[in-house]
Each structure stands twice: as C-alpha cells, then as structure tokens.
Amino acid sequence: MEQLIIFIALIVLGYTAGTIAERNHYKSIKTREHKLLSLPACTIKNALYNDAQVDKAHLVSGSVVVSVDYFKRFLAGLRNLLGGELVSYETLLDRARREAVLRMKEAAKGADIIISLRIETSSIGQSANRRQSLGSIEAIAYGTAVTYKKVNEIPGKRT
Amino acid sequence: MRYRAKELKQNVNVSRTSPIKELFILLGGVLGILIAVYAALGFAVDLVVPKLPSSIEQSLGRLYSGIYDDTDETPAEAQLQKILDRLSAASGDTEIKYKVHIVLNPQANALALPGGNIIVFSRLIEETASENELAFVLAHELGHFANRDHLRGLGRGLVLLTISAALLGADSSATNFIMNSLQNVEMKFSQRQEQAADLWALDLLNKTYGHVGGATDFFEHMSKNDKRGRIRYYFATHPHPENRIRVLRKNILKKAYLEKEKTALDRPLSKLVTTPGRTN
Ligand SMILES: [Zn+2]
C-alpha cells in the first residue's frame, strides 16, 4: 500500500516537475536561438564563399546532460513492453540537442559561421540503462568556428 | 552563396501527443493483458491442483519441508500433535498424516506446507490461552489442506514468478508497478481462501469439541495487538481480523453452534517452546 502511494506520488511529482522544467527550458531555448540567429551553424565542409578569406578557425563544442523525469521513464517502460514510438523521450532528446548547439554557439562568440557541425548523443554513466536508475543523456555538438577577414583586411580590396 | 540561419517554426522531431492519454492507453493495455494471462494461468492451476495425486504431493512435501522431518519432537510439539490428531480424526481425513512443527519466530502465525506439515510460530503459542483457541488455528490450517490452498498458493506463486521473470529486463518502475498490481489480484484470491479455511475450521471445531468456544479468540488477540488500519488490510493476504471475527460470529449464529467452557492447556505451552537450534 505504502509502495503504491509512494509510486503515485513519484509519478505526479515527476509529471509536474518535468512539465514545468520542460516548458521553461523550451522558453529559454527559443529566446537564445533567436538571439544567436546571426551565427549560423551548418554541416557543409567548405566555408568560403565568393572571395571571402578565413581569418581564424577553431574547434568549438557545447555539451549538456539532461535527465528524464520519473513519469516519462515509467511511460517509456510501458512502451518497452508493447513496442512502438517512444514519444515520451522525444522532447528530452530534442531539448538536449538544441541546448548543446546553443552552448556551442555561445562558445563561438565573434565567429561568422560554424561549419562541419556534428551532434552526438550518449546515455550517461554505466548505470544509464540499468534497472533502478534514472536515464540521463548527454548531447554534444561540435564544429569549426570560422571568422572571415574583414573586407578592409583583404589585400587589394581596399576601396 | 552565403549561409543564413532560419528560425525553427515547427518542430517535426517532437510529436504532439498528450502524455497523460498515452499513459492510460499503455497502462490499460499492459495491465489488461497481464491480468488476463495471470487469471488464465491461475485458473489452469486451480483445475490441475484438485486432480494432483497425493503421491506427488507427498514427494513435493519432502522437498519442501524435509528439514522439519528429521528433528525430534519436543514436549510442546507432542501436545500440539495430540490436538491436531484429534482434529484430523474428527475431520475423517485419514489419508495424510498431518504433522505439527514449532519454529521460533516473533510473528504470531501458522502455515500449511505441502506434505501435511503445519508450521506454528512460537509467538502464536505464547499468545494462546486455551486449547480451543489453538485448535481453531490448527483447524484453519487443516482447512487449507482440505481446500488444497497450499498447492494453489505454490502454483499461483509460480505463475507470478514466471510473469515477473518474463518482464525482468524491462524498465524497473513499470515492471514493479505491474507486479504490484498482479500481487493485489493474488491477495484477493488469497483473502477468499482464508475466509473459506476459517469457516471450514469452525465446522471442524464444532465436530471435535461439540461447541465452538474460543474460535474467535485468536483474531481478538490479533486485532488488539495490530493497530494497522483497515485500508492496509485491503492489500493484505489475510482479511482484517475484525472482519474475520464478524464472519465467524455470523456463521456461529446461523448454524446455531454452542459456545461452552473452553479447555485449558495441559501445561503452560509457552514454557516448553524454547528448544535450541530451532530458529528458522
Ligand atoms: Zn490461512
């Protein structure tokens, strides 16, 4: 009986806390994404257009670890039994990826573009997939931040 | 070409579904299927158990309680055995030789094991005041044998174990929840069996002693010592002692059983309980 009460309490707690955390996180992601819109991140390997010249290029990365709440974990557990789309983990991964990209962009402040963007995901810790432990995932985004030479720095282009 | 970032307007990676709705659909599906499987398997066990020959039960009993067979009978056990023999003679069941064993245990409880072994915990003997009270407890266990509950319990336990093994490896919280739900179904079966054994014991007590004095004494002790609420008993294997007393009283009235003077125990049994090397 106590077990059942504790379980229901955990489910309710997980759902409420998880929903609030998720809403706040998405709000923060959206405003930051808007702010960093001027710094594009893309997967192409060649950064040069027309006669632009590279001034600086360096590796930038951003990573985040996000944990799933008890409610979603329970939902995923049921899904594991029946099969099908694991919808309850979708927002978790989406948030982790976007947060990682945002942190990478924040690390690349001043650059003009981030090229060769890669995103990787892994479950955290040895216990990540074991029973009785909470599932957390890490998303890491990395790429090459490129800063172009300013037009007046390119020789012969002085106007 | 110049690369320009675009704001994400619509997220295709996140499905627009209600998690609460998903929870109820999944929970309903999984629990429904499992309870159906469990009930079907349990029903199969109930069909097989009454047809199980007693030779199989005897060998199962040796497996299960062989450890108790080798020990010498203590004076307290001899006294209990006398009561038990009288009861089983009155019940007319002479096929199986029932044997009583006392085990040191702080719980006031008794249990029926395959092979006709009845285990009585020492605390129960310390708490009983009359022979009739003890006889009712023993008769209750004999009732379990008569209804073959001890084998049913084994069979259902096996089913529960099989299902839990099949679910093992899946997510823990979900599996635990499902196992708890199945156990609650099991409890309901079990409470019904306890009730049946109680009524069986009442009839046997009347047949043996000619009256049913002391039948409710044990449960009265229990409910006095047990301050747990009724709600917790909803999820227990045994009904609430007060409920058991109520049902017994109702049946005593209905069958017009008499309640005469209780027989005192020959010697204070509690003094005889403690024998070394008997802890389980
Ligand atoms: Zn019982």
Side-chain angles (χ1 to χ4, degrees):
Chain A
M1 184 61 185
E2 286 90 345
Q3 265 181 320
L4 195 72
I5 292 173
I6 291 170
F7 172 77
I8 291 171
L10 279 173
I11 287 281
V12 172
L13 176 80
Y15 180 72
T16 339
T19 310
I20 293 170
E22 186 171 293
R23 196 184 305 137
N24 289 344
H25 193 196
Y26 264 126
K27 214 151 80 187
S28 141
I29 286 175
K30 272 177 190 148
T31 49
R32 280 150 72 214
E33 271 179 353
H34 185 79
K35 250 194 296 189
L36 288 163
L37 216 53
S38 55
L39 174 61
C42 59
T43 54
I44 51 168
K45 285 182 186 155
N46 194 338
L48 293 178
Y49 58 90
N50 300 338
D51 30 46
Q53 285 181 25
V54 173
D55 177 30
K56 281 184 293 187
H58 63 278
L59 177 76
V60 281
S61 74
S63 93
V64 65
V65 178
V66 185
S67 175
V68 69
D69 60 67
Y70 196 86
F71 173 79
K72 286 191 168 163
R73 224 170 92 83
F74 178 69
L75 218 54
L78 289 175
R79 205 28 117 189
N80 271 346
L81 296 174
L82 294 183
E85 267 178 53
L86 205 54
V87 178
S88 69
Y89 278 2
E90 280 178 353
T91 50
L92 175 80
L93 282 153
D94 185 59
R95 278 160 57 199
R97 282 189 304 256
R98 286 164 77 173
E99 178 69 33
V101 170
L102 278 171
R103 290 187 181 181
M104 178 196 68
K105 282 186 174 183
E106 278 155 9
K109 266 223 165 91
D112 291 308
I113 191 169
I114 296 169
I115 58 166
S116 289
L117 167 69
R118 303 281 183 274
I119 302 176
E120 280 169 27
T121 315
S122 60
S123 48
I124 270 291
Q126 278 281 289
S127 58
N129 295 315
R130 227 191 283 151
R131 284 162 60 86
Q132 302 288 8
S133 68
L134 212 62
S136 340
I137 57 139
E138 187 215 18
I140 177 163
Y142 56 94
T144 310
V146 172
T147 314
Y148 298 123
K149 277 186 182 159
K150 297 281 171 292
V151 179
N152 52 9
E153 287 168 8
I154 301 169
K157 272 271 174 178
R158 237 170 276 265
T159 43
Chain B
M1 178 217 68
R2 182 151 200 162
Y3 188 90
R4 285 203 183 281
K6 217 173 72 184
E7 203 153 356
L8 193 64
K9 286 281 177 246
Q10 183 189 16
N11 195 348
V12 291
N13 293 322
V14 175
S15 311
R16 295 256 143 250
T17 52
S18 157
I20 300 278
K21 195 176 132 199
E22 203 196 350
L23 174 74
F24 283 117
I25 291 172
L26 287 176
L27 213 54
V30 171
L31 279 181
I33 292 167
L34 281 176
I35 288 175
V37 167
Y38 175 74
L41 287 176
F43 190 65
V45 166
D46 284 357
L47 273 183
V48 168
V49 156
K51 295 190 177 70
L52 207 66
S54 57
S55 60
I56 291 183
E57 193 196 328
Q58 290 302 319
S59 57
L60 206 68
R62 271 193 291 282
L63 252 177
Y64 218 78
S65 42
I67 23 163
Y68 299 115
D69 288 341
D70 309 330
T71 48
D72 293 325
E73 196 175 56
T74 63
E77 280 173 342
Q79 202 178 330
L80 280 185
Q81 189 66 46
K82 236 165 61 195
I83 304 171
L84 183 66
D85 288 344
R86 196 175 156 196
L87 285 167
S88 83
S91 75
D93 176 13
T94 46
E95 199 185 331
I96 303 167
K97 172 87 181 93
Y98 294 105
K99 205 153 169 17
V100 69
H101 308 275
I102 297 173
V103 170
L104 277 186
N105 195 300
Q107 275 180 299
N109 210 345
L111 37 116
L113 293 183
N117 291 288
I118 295 175
I119 312 295
V120 178
F121 289 163
S122 53
R123 182 63 189 273
L124 187 141
I125 297 167
E126 284 160 26
E127 283 185 3
T128 44
S130 68
E131 184 184 321
N132 305 64
E133 183 180 350
L134 214 50
F136 181 82
V137 174
L138 292 175
H140 172 95
E141 300 308 325
L142 285 178
H144 279 316
F145 283 119
N147 297 334
R148 302 213 142 199
D149 293 334
H150 57 302
L151 292 179
R152 258 182 253 267
L154 277 185
R156 284 188 184 277
L158 204 67
V159 171
L160 211 60
L161 207 70
T162 312
I163 293 180
S164 78
L167 289 180
L168 224 75
D171 179 77
S172 65
S173 54
T175 314
N176 284 346
F177 177 75
I178 288 157
M179 289 318 295
N180 278 337
S181 313
L182 284 186
Q183 258 150 17
N184 282 339
V185 176
E186 170 68 34
M187 298 303 146
K188 287 280 148 285
F189 278 112
S190 154
Q191 290 200 3
R192 230 168 43 201
Q193 292 174 352
E194 293 305 326
Q195 197 101 81
D198 278 353
L199 297 182
W200 199 90
L202 190 69
D203 292 340
L204 182 58
L205 201 66
N206 185 58
K207 223 190 279 176
T208 313
Y209 291 91
H211 69 99
V212 294
T216 55
D217 284 5
F218 175 61
F219 300 131
E220 269 152 26
H221 287 157
M222 245 172 108
S223 69
K224 215 181 296 162
N225 294 339
D226 192 348
K227 289 280 162 273
R228 288 188 287 175
R230 245 158 227 287
I231 302 162
R232 277 192 46 179
Y233 264 95
Y234 190 76
F235 295 97
T237 49
H238 289 63
H240 193 284
E242 277 169 31
N243 288 346
R244 298 175 82 167
I245 295 170
R246 217 188 46 230
V247 173
L248 283 174
R249 288 253 157 256
K250 220 170 74 188
N251 275 273
I252 290 171
L253 275 179
K254 203 172 82 188
K255 294 176 180 169
Y257 285 157
L258 300 169
E259 283 185 84
K260 290 189 196 151
E261 190 81 15
K262 290 173 234 174
T263 321
L265 290 165
D266 290 355
R267 282 166 287 178
L269 266 171
S270 53
K271 300 279 185 297
L272 303 170
V273 166
T274 326
T275 34
R278 276 300 187 113
T279 330
N280 89 333

